[in-house]
């Protein structure tokens, strides 16, 4: 497979630049987090989304603020794409009071219900079920809101996938399942963990509409999601989009990254970088100049730098608040 | 006051809350047209329809996880799970998600979910349909756990549970379902609060704290003992989380002796917690060691003589209280 | 669909009569249990297998004693077909010391590892996983034993199905999954609980070989299982047989049985009774005379009667043994 | 004696048992070629191959249920589950099946299965990777639950666990994994029995019963207190089920005062059980109430200052012991 983003086909320049900006924001935030991790400033885990930015960006471009997203352990990108401010994501990983979970969660527990980020999860599976439940709420309340679940190939073999997609199907729930198939769960290849790596075909076996897409091509993801969100919001039941992609960094920062995939494989995928692909396409199709694109990059970098500084200068939470909000009262 | 059964009372409470608030809905296996394995929803399907009384596949983890998401987004699910044993498959959702959701989101999400169903030994239900397991949900933070023992409490606590923004485990001992008792009229709208024990019988010699079905057994025992002049105060905490230690300690201050009667297993159970709290906070008021009467520490057998041997009964309780008084 | 058992086609008379005897034994035991239940002599639950006898009988005919069976809440038939003596099954439901679980289990906890009955279960799902595990043992120990799991349509939508069949597939484990699709889980129709009631197609979506069969035709079940057991024992991986069938009694004894299925549906299926069908076929194909068949029936009835009497006169377990065997020492 | 790390010691034990008995095998995510998230199986894949070091899909309920079936049929599974939090999804299999299999089959089936992995708070692991949850497995019958705290105990208890015909939860506090300690030579084949506490420090003033990582913290506290002449006896029960009450009561007979230090939640936890047993069996030997020092009753937060605030530390323990001595 060869990622070749065709920029001009059907999207206008504003949209394309906004996708570019969106992906770049995620990338720059992740790069900042990698550096912070390496400096020892992130006390817990850090799973980056580097290489997969096209997916969150392309999908969330179709969401309203009152639509909801349920994400995974690899959720920084989804948070950012759904509208969580960069300083709140970085602040959360630094364990600060200003983090989107007030420092309680860290990388795998990002919450920002205000913008529809209903949580990332440290456990593989629950997001599939919860997103189905949000869709049930919307159906019961007769709202045209959409619930989106991002999940990895690793979750497909978990019972939660089976139970969630089946219930979504029988009740025609407005949930969009987005499988980010990056071919590995930690170091275990998807092709080892199942005899059927075709997630679209699996969706079909539950009676759920689906399509697959090059997950490194943001335009393709954007177009597929347009259709998918339309289907779901229109009350035609659940939909699954399988995005074939790759993470180019280790499973988590600080982990050894050898023995389960070849350097060659990694470099090949690096050449299909979704951000570079869009940039090249915009440039080749003469839709944007090098200067325009660099200007965007500079602005994004500046924003992320500022966000990092804000986060770094934010206070840690007060230990006396460690037990607040266990219950509603 | 009129007399109705425990199940009728709880059903009335559910009905009232569903009428009051259209965001309340029920899921479970056979809770739709069928009206529930224990008649918990009988007649409600006709009133509220298949959207709000939703039969599910056999996917306990799935529908509890689903309802977690629903509770986060504006509706108020009631999961009718039949037997606690079945939802052990949903423990991950209950502990990692439901219990922690408000905390993880710094209070910006609420978790108005009720899980209701049967616990307890009885009727040769055997080891996959007799579980109690509530002590674990008092051990981990994040749950309200109620064990009503009278029809009136069943109704009032279920109404409180449904209105609560916190997750509630509402546990009905299977042998209580058909018991009858006084319940205020439907228009009374009585809510019974969590964490408020009920002194079911007053006494001055011994405090007996009993849970679930054991409240009834202990009341029987107290009746018998009264004939010998032993006056037992019987306390039904009604909720195990929060636990009303105030009422328990007040009673102890009066009696100086305490027995805890719990059908559930002893080790690291509710009795252990109460005994430890009493030892910690009222050490000097104890005239004798706190005693625990528990179900035998074994999987629950099927055959009636075996089953009877593993649950405390009136006589076991009487024996324990006599011994305690003699100390 | 019309059950029409073709007796003569390929099976010899001994086999056919043995299948007849096998089904009849289960039926007579179940009928005895129904009466005992109605008399109030069975203290706990009782889910009969009436109407589904062809399945356990047709499958277990191919099993060796060292093959293993994992069953469900509706497991009396599997126990009997795997070789548990009738008096031990009846004794168990009566709660007697001589029951196959020594009175500890009742209807939903039948154990007789001596003959390969590794348990029925009161919880829907675990048998799918455990059967896969037994198959793993056989693979690790390089034994040509076969592990069989009987499960209902209701279990198909449970995560255990998904996780079990997937693992069986990726490791080529010697397990035979037998789905007894009787169209209902308690009162919930399979067609309500899933959009895809084709269990064979679902097996295929995991890469598992499969076929479906008229579960009320013992010859068809026998033939399909012959192939399936051969496949599994031959080291070619797991296999799934879907048996379409019906229970003609309520979900459990004592339960009301109205509102979810029509009387008409029930009577139609009663006309497809697997035992009557085989009897008719044997008679029509002139393979057995009415007298031969009646003689078998009388012998089976006598055996079951005797078994019931033995069970009824057996002692209850000693309460002092209530806590034995929690641990191995 | 040579010094090796906790993880190395446990791995050596696993290796020895795999060499001894070809029916022992390991399943888990990344325990094959990768050698385990915590290096629990490093190097063993090359020795024993993919059949006996089997990477699994992310299906905790599935592979634990599968191993249940394996343990019933002649093999001895070791499930390497990484974090206890993950196997909450397998609670149904653990409670309804594994714990009850020997009982349900009247002892005709054995259940030689080991579940091993991490527990505990530390390193900003946050609320989905910090669980303890062991008290529940002492509450329900059917499990052996061990919490080794030294490399030597890790090795000897893992070897016992693998040879046992009973199910064993082998729980490794994440902060202990890289600690070092003396371990006998490989050829010694030392088995450490379940239910035998280890007196880690002798003392006459206070008995401190500590679990897991808290053993180390309590030893530090005892060292400091010794400078003030307070002699603390530190007991590490090593297994929470069975629990060695004999050793604990013997110590109490000597000291008359007891504190229980457990990072796990207080309510209905191990401390409650010990306090209740002590109150029941040694009421007259107590010179002061039994005190419990526990982790704060809250989901575990991520941020370092919050995380530090919810776990007992040296100072908390010192404070509690000083108070107890003063009573
Ligand atoms: C229930 C559970 N089991 C195991 C883990 C440990 N774990 C965290 S991420 C991960 C791999 C997930 O793979 P995938 O879903 O493909 O997502 P990816 O990391 O590739 O984005 C594993 C095994 C977990 N968090 N939860
Ligand atoms: C986990 C679980 N949930 C619910 C039940 C209650 N229950 C017992 S049997 C049954 C229906 C099973 O249906 P199916 O698998 O189709 O088997 P059938 O009864 O039709 O033979 C249900 C819901 C249970 N035993 N276990
Ligand atoms: Mg992946
Ligand atoms: Mg069925």
């Amino acid at each position: 497979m060869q990622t070749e983003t065709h920029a001009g086909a059907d999207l206008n320049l504003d949209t394309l630049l906004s996708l570019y900006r969106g992906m770049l924001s995620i990338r720059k935030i992740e790069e900042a987090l990698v550096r912070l991790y390496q400096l020892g400033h992130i006390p817990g885990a850090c799973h980056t989304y580097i290489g997969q930015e096209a997916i969150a960006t392309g999908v969330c471009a179709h969401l309203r603020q009152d639509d909801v997203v349920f994400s995974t352990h690899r959720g920084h990108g989804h948070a950012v794409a759904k509208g969580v401010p960069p300083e709140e994501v970085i602040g959360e990983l630094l364990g600060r009071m200003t983090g989107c979970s007030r420092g309680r969660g860290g990388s795998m527990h990002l919450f920002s219900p205000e913008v529809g980020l209903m949580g990332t999860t440290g456990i593989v599976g629950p997001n599939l079920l919860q997103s189905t439940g949000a869709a049930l709420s919307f159906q019961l309340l007769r709202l045209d809101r959409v619930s989106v679940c991002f999940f990895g190939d690793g979750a497909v073999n978990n019972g939660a996938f089976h139970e969630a997609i089946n219930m979504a199907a029988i009740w025609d729930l407005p949930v969009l399942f987005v499988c980010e198939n990056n071919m590995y769960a930690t170091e275990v290849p998807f092709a080892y963990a199942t005899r059927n790596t075709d997630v679209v075909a699996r969706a079909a076996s539950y009676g759920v509409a689906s399509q697959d897409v090059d997950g490194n091509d943001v335009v393709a993801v954007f177009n597929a999601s347009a259709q998918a969100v339309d289907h779901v919001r229109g009350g035609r039941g659940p939909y699954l989009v399988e995005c074939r992609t790759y993470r180019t960094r280790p499973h988590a920062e600080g982990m050894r990254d050898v023995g389960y995939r070849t350097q060659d494989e990694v470099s090949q995928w690096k050449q299909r970088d979704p951000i570079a692909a869009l940039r090249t396409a915009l440039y080749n199709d003469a839709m944007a100049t090098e200067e325009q694109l660099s200007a965007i990059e500079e602005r994004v970098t500046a924003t992320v730098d500022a966000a990092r500084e804000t986060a770094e200068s934010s206070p840690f939470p007060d230990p006396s608040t460690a037990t607040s909000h266990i219950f509603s009262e | 006051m009129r007399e109705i059964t425990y199940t009728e009372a709880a059903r009335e409470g559910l009905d009232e809350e569903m009428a009051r608030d259209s965001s309340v809905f029920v899921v479970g296996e056979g809770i739709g047209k069928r009206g529930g394995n224990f008649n918990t929803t009988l007649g409600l399907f006709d009133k509220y329809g298949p959207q709000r009384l939703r039969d599910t596949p056999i996917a306990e983890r799935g529908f509890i996880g689903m309802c977690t998401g629903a509770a986060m987004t504006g509706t108020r699910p009631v999961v009718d799970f039949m037997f606690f044993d079945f939802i052990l498959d949903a423990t991950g959702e209950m502990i990692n998600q439901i219990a922690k959701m408000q905390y993880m989101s710094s209070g910006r999400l609420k978790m108005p979910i009720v899980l209701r169903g049967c616990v307890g030994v009885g009727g040769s239900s055997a080891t996959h349909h007799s579980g109690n397991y509530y002590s674990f949900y008092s051990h981990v933070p994040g749950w309200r756990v109620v064990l009503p023992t009278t029809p009136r409490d069943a109704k009032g606590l279920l109404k409180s549970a449904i209105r609560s923004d916190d997750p509630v485990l509402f546990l009905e001992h299977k042998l209580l379902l058909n018991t009858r008792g006084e319940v205020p009229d439907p228009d009374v709208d009585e809510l019974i609060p969590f964490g408020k024990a009920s002194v079911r019988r007053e006494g001055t010699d011994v405090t007996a704290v009993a849970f679930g079905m054991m409240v009834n057994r202990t009341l029987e025992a107290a009746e018998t003992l009264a004939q010998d002049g032993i006056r037992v105060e019987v306390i039904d905490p009604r909720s195990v989380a929060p636990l009303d230690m105030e009422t328990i300690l007040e009673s102890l201050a009066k009696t100086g002796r305490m027995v805890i009667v719990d059908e559930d297993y002893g080790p690291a159970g509710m009795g252990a917690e109460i005994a430890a709290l009493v030892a910690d906070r009222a050490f000097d008021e104890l005239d004798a060691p706190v005693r625990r009467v528990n179900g035998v520490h074994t999987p629950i057998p099927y055959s009636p003589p075996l089953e009877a041997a593993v649950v405390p009964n009136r006589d076991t309780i009487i024996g324990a209280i006599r011994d305690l008084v003699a100390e």
Side-chain angles (χ1 to χ4, degrees), chain A, chain B:
Chain A
M1 195 160 70
Q2 189 58 40
T3 293
E4 212 178 302
T5 301
H6 293 282
D10 27 38
L11 305 188
N12 67 34
L13 183 61
D14 276 359
T15 304
L16 290 165
L17 291 181
S18 143
L19 294 173
Y20 182 65
R21 204 177 298 112
M23 292 195 291
L24 210 51
S25 289
I26 298 174
R27 173 70 54 89
K28 296 289 177 194
I29 291 167
E30 294 290 29
E31 287 173 351
L33 290 171
V34 167
R35 276 190 305 275
L36 289 167
Y37 188 92
Q38 287 164 348
L39 291 167
H41 295 174
I42 293 181
C46 179
H47 305 80
T48 77
Y49 196 61
I50 290 179
Q52 305 184 194
E53 296 89 343
I55 302 167
T57 308
V59 171
C60 293
H62 301 288
L63 301 183
R64 306 190 312 224
Q65 190 166 79
D66 68 348
D67 293 330
V68 291
V69 162
F70 294 82
S71 159
T72 65
H73 58 287
R74 196 177 302 292
H76 313 159
H78 310 126
V80 172
K82 192 64 177 66
V84 182
E87 61 274 20
E88 290 198 21
V89 173
I90 299 172
E92 189 57 33
L93 274 101
L94 292 172
R96 304 307 164 99
M97 191 54 214
T98 52
C100 62
S101 307
R102 312 298 179 246
R104 280 170 186 229
S107 173
M108 293 188 274
H109 309 266
L110 304 176
F111 282 84
S112 192
E114 300 78 7
V115 299
L117 181 74
M118 308 306 279
T120 61
T121 171
I123 305 290
V124 171
N127 49 329
L128 284 152
L129 302 167
Q130 290 167 21
S131 57
T132 303
L136 179 59
S137 275
F138 302 156
Q139 183 183 76
L140 284 164
L141 302 170
R142 296 173 204 279
L143 300 171
D144 71 342
R145 292 164 66 184
V146 166
S147 175
V148 179
C149 182
F150 292 97
F151 61 103
D153 50 281
V156 171
N157 301 309
N158 189 282
F161 172 82
H162 183 68
E163 298 188 355
I165 197 167
N166 183 57
M167 291 189 295
I170 62 174
W171 296 318
D172 287 319
L173 299 179
V175 52
L176 169 57
F177 297 111
V178 181
C179 179
E180 308 197 37
N181 181 352
N182 63 9
M183 296 160 46
Y184 297 93
T186 319
E187 289 84 351
V188 179
F190 192 36
Y192 167 87
T194 180
R195 277 283 156 85
N196 182 357
T197 57
D198 183 345
V199 182
V200 159
R202 295 174 78 159
S205 84
Y206 295 89
V208 170
S210 56
Q211 67 175 294
D212 68 349
V213 72
D214 177 351
N216 281 31
D217 177 353
V218 73
V219 173
V221 173
F222 181 91
N223 287 332
S225 315
Q227 235 182 295
V229 170
D230 210 54
H231 175 103
V232 171
R233 203 183 301 283
R236 274 167 288 153
Y239 200 101
L240 182 143
V241 177
E242 176 185 1
C243 303
R244 301 195 184 246
T245 187
Y246 202 79
R247 69 168 155 73
T248 49
R249 292 199 56 81
H251 172 71
E253 291 309 297
M255 270 175 65
R256 58 176 184 258
D257 193 41
V258 290
Y260 68 101
R261 58 184 193 177
T262 61
Q263 254 322 109
D264 206 46
E265 186 178 284
V266 180
S267 349
Q268 271 178 17
W269 277 93
K270 278 190 179 161
Q271 276 159 31
R272 293 176 51 192
D273 185 86
I275 302 175
L278 179 58
R279 192 180 175 115
T280 306
L282 284 165
Y283 184 75
N284 285 350
D285 296 358
M287 292 185 76
T289 63
E290 187 62 42
E291 292 80 59
Q292 266 182 300
L293 296 169
S294 294
I296 291 178
E297 180 157 0
E298 270 162 41
R299 274 199 302 278
V300 168
T301 304
T303 307
V304 173
D305 275 350
R308 179 183 45 71
E309 279 165 29
T310 306
E312 286 187 298
S313 61
S314 294
F316 282 98
D318 177 350
S320 74
T321 64
T323 60
S324 37
H325 303 304
I326 302 174
F327 291 109
S328 63
E329 306 125 36
Chain B
M1 251 185 275
R2 72 215 163 105
E3 275 211 350
I4 56 177
T5 70
Y6 186 98
T7 296
E8 284 161 358
R11 189 170 61 228
E12 212 175 70
L14 175 62
D15 190 359
E16 288 172 15
E17 294 308 305
M18 291 190 79
R20 242 188 96 256
D21 182 347
S22 64
S23 73
V24 176
F25 69 98
V26 187
V27 304
E29 293 151 18
I31 56 84
K33 218 194 286 180
R34 181 183 171 203
N37 194 46
F38 299 113
N39 298 330
T40 44
T41 55
L42 204 66
L44 301 185
F45 183 85
D46 290 340
K47 239 166 141 169
Y48 302 109
Q51 290 270 334
R52 294 181 65 198
L53 285 138
R54 193 175 291 250
D55 277 328
T56 62
I58 306 172
E60 278 74 7
R61 180 185 173 197
F63 58 73
I64 288 177
M66 179 182 74
C67 286
T68 309
M72 291 161 73
T73 50
T75 53
R76 307 183 82 83
V78 176
V79 177
D80 191 330
F81 59 68
M82 278 194 268
F83 294 93
F84 204 161
D85 315 76
F86 298 170
I87 60 168
L88 293 181
D89 292 340
T91 306
E93 308 310 319
M94 292 168 69
I95 300 294
N96 275 328
Q97 306 296 327
I98 296 176
K100 298 175 178 173
M101 197 57 77
Q102 301 191 76
Y103 187 82
M104 292 192 294
S105 68
S106 310
R108 288 172 295 161
L109 292 170
K110 301 291 171 220
M111 197 33 65
I113 185 171
V114 179
L115 271 55
R116 67 90 62 102
C118 275
V119 293
V121 182
S124 283
S125 303
T127 196
H128 287 166
H129 295 73
S130 301
N132 280 299
Y133 303 129
Y134 38 78
S135 78
F136 186 50
Y137 289 86
S138 76
H139 173 66
V140 295
W143 279 91
R144 309 293 190 194
V145 185
V146 303
L147 294 176
T149 62
T150 68
R152 183 174 186 163
D153 288 351
K155 180 174 175 184
L157 281 166
L158 186 58
K159 285 168 69 80
S160 294
I162 294 172
R163 290 198 208 171
S164 170
D165 278 340
D166 295 324
V168 182
L169 258 171
F170 181 91
L171 304 176
E172 307 161 272
H173 196 290
K174 57 169 68 71
L175 298 182
L176 291 170
L177 298 181
N178 294 318
T179 57
R180 302 178 69 80
E182 293 194 335
V183 177
D185 287 339
D187 54 341
V188 171
D189 199 31
E190 180 177 66
L191 296 177
I192 301 197
F194 306 146
K196 190 79 210 73
S198 151
V199 179
R200 292 290 298 279
R201 180 188 177 104
E202 300 205 1
T204 48
D205 298 329
V206 176
T207 300
V209 180
F211 293 97
M213 188 60 202
M214 289 300 119
V215 173
N216 295 20
R217 297 268 176 279
T218 305
L219 286 169
E220 288 164 32
E223 190 62 39
T224 304
L225 288 163
Q227 291 157 20
D228 297 352
I230 300 175
R231 286 151 307 173
V232 181
E233 179 142 309
V234 180
I235 296 181
D236 173 2
R238 298 196 288 197
S239 56
V240 301
L243 185 65
D244 180 3
M245 277 307 289
E246 216 167 289
T247 301
I248 292 172
L249 290 173
E250 261 167 39
S251 175
L252 180 73
K254 193 165 64 171
T255 63
R257 286 166 206 271
M258 180 174 291
V259 62
I260 301 144
V261 189
D262 188 4
E263 174 189 296
D264 193 12
Y265 303 125
M270 292 315 304
E273 180 58 21
I274 294 173
L277 287 172
V278 164
D280 188 67
R281 300 193 197 160
F283 192 65
D284 297 331
E285 285 169 18
L286 284 170
D287 300 326
V290 176
R291 297 296 182 199
R292 292 183 280 170
V293 175
N294 282 100
V296 177
H297 200 227
T298 176
I300 308 303
Y302 167 79
S303 182
L306 295 178
E307 188 191 51
V310 306
V311 190
N313 56 34
R314 210 182 57 117
D315 294 338
T316 337
I317 301 167
I318 289 174
I321 294 176
R322 281 198 202 285
D323 288 351
L324 182 56
V325 171
E327 276 191 77

